């Protein structure tokens, strides 16, 4: 028996550990907010008070939407780590992507995002549009410029313009983007809030 345990002790240990690992993984996955229960904002650049902006958005949330959210996050990313492929992948995790102009890849709109629909553009009547000239299609709108006097500008310390893009994968732009769901409008309301000129 002693020799038997000496050679296969690890099997008994695995039998004990595997159910614990599986059990913890299931509960961890259940606690993670679903895409319609959170709004994630990614800022690519180096001049943003992300914590301050996140706190402001959390405070403003009850007045902006009836959608029940479990999490609102604002994350800063370094521009060096973002190729077009990496940015496309980020669209699965983030609802709104904001770029400082110096950190924005060339033609990022047509390379990563999709052109905005007229219905979505109409939700931002005062906004300055970010557009690109696309071969065979003409000038298309992909995002919005964030003005220094906007609510976003209160947390931005840089001088270069910043641009806001809508993730085509977000479920939180009502039905105004490719993947939006009716009634889930939290990301739309946050985008409007960030673009709004501060009182």
């Amino acid at each position: 028996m002693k020799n038997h345990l000496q050679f296969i002790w690890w099997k008994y240990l695995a039998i004990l550990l595997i159910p614990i690992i599986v059990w913890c993984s299931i509960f961890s996955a259940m606690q993670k907010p679903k895409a319609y229960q959170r709004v994630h904002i990614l800022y690519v650049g180096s001049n943003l008070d992300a914590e301050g902006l996140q706190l402001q958005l959390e405070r403003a949330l009850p007045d902006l939407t009836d959608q029940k959210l479990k999490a609102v996050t604002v994350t800063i990313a370094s521009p060096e780590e973002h190729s077009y492929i990496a940015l496309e992948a980020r669209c699965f995790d983030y609802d709104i992507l904001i770029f400082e102009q110096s950190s924005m890849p060339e033609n990022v709109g047509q390379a990563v995002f999709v052109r905005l629909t007229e219905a979505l553009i109409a939700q931002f009547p005062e906004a300055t549009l970010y557009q690109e000239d696309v071969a065979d299609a003409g000038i298309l709108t992909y995002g919005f410029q964030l003005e220094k006097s906007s609510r976003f500008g209160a947390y931005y310390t840089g001088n270069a313009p910043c641009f806001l893009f809508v993730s085509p994968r977000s479920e939180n732009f009502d039905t105004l983007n490719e993947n939006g769901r009716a009634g889930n409008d939290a990301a739309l309301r946050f985008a409007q809030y960030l673009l709004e000129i501060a009182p």
Side-chain angles (χ1 to χ4, degrees), residues 21-155:
I21 293 169
V22 169
W23 189 259
C24 291
S25 299
I26 290 170
F27 276 99
S28 177
M30 287 172 60
Q31 289 181 337
K32 184 179 176 184
K34 295 184 176 26
Y36 61 86
Q37 296 174 318
R38 51 71 173 170
V39 172
H40 290 174
I41 299 171
L42 178 69
Y43 169 79
V44 181
S46 56
N47 294 298
L48 183 70
D49 175 8
E51 288 180 25
L53 180 58
Q54 182 173 313
L55 283 172
Q56 181 58 32
L57 291 174
E58 288 170 353
R59 278 192 223 112
L61 176 63
D63 295 330
L64 296 177
T65 181
D66 293 329
Q67 186 178 344
K68 302 298 180 211
L69 297 181
K70 292 184 177 180
V72 176
T73 61
V74 179
T75 305
I76 295 178
S78 168
E80 290 81 33
E81 49 190 70
H82 283 94
S83 63
Y84 291 130
I85 294 170
L87 288 171
E88 286 177 19
R90 292 285 193 153
C91 287
F92 285 92
D93 296 325
Y94 291 91
D95 301 276
I96 297 170
L97 291 89
I98 299 172
F99 293 85
E100 194 172 329
Q101 187 174 40
S102 58
S103 304
M104 194 164 65
E106 188 176 353
N107 294 324
V108 69
Q110 56 193 292
V112 176
F113 302 101
V114 296
R115 71 182 176 95
L116 300 181
T117 63
E118 291 300 322
L120 182 54
I121 295 169
Q123 298 295 313
F124 304 90
E126 304 296 320
T128 303
L129 304 178
Y130 170 80
Q131 299 177 316
E132 291 178 4
D133 192 357
V134 180
D136 301 326
I139 295 177
L140 300 178
T141 301
Y142 291 98
F144 306 97
Q145 182 173 336
L146 288 152
E147 305 296 337
K148 188 69 174 158
S149 57
S150 68
R151 292 183 189 271
F152 170 83
Y155 301 91

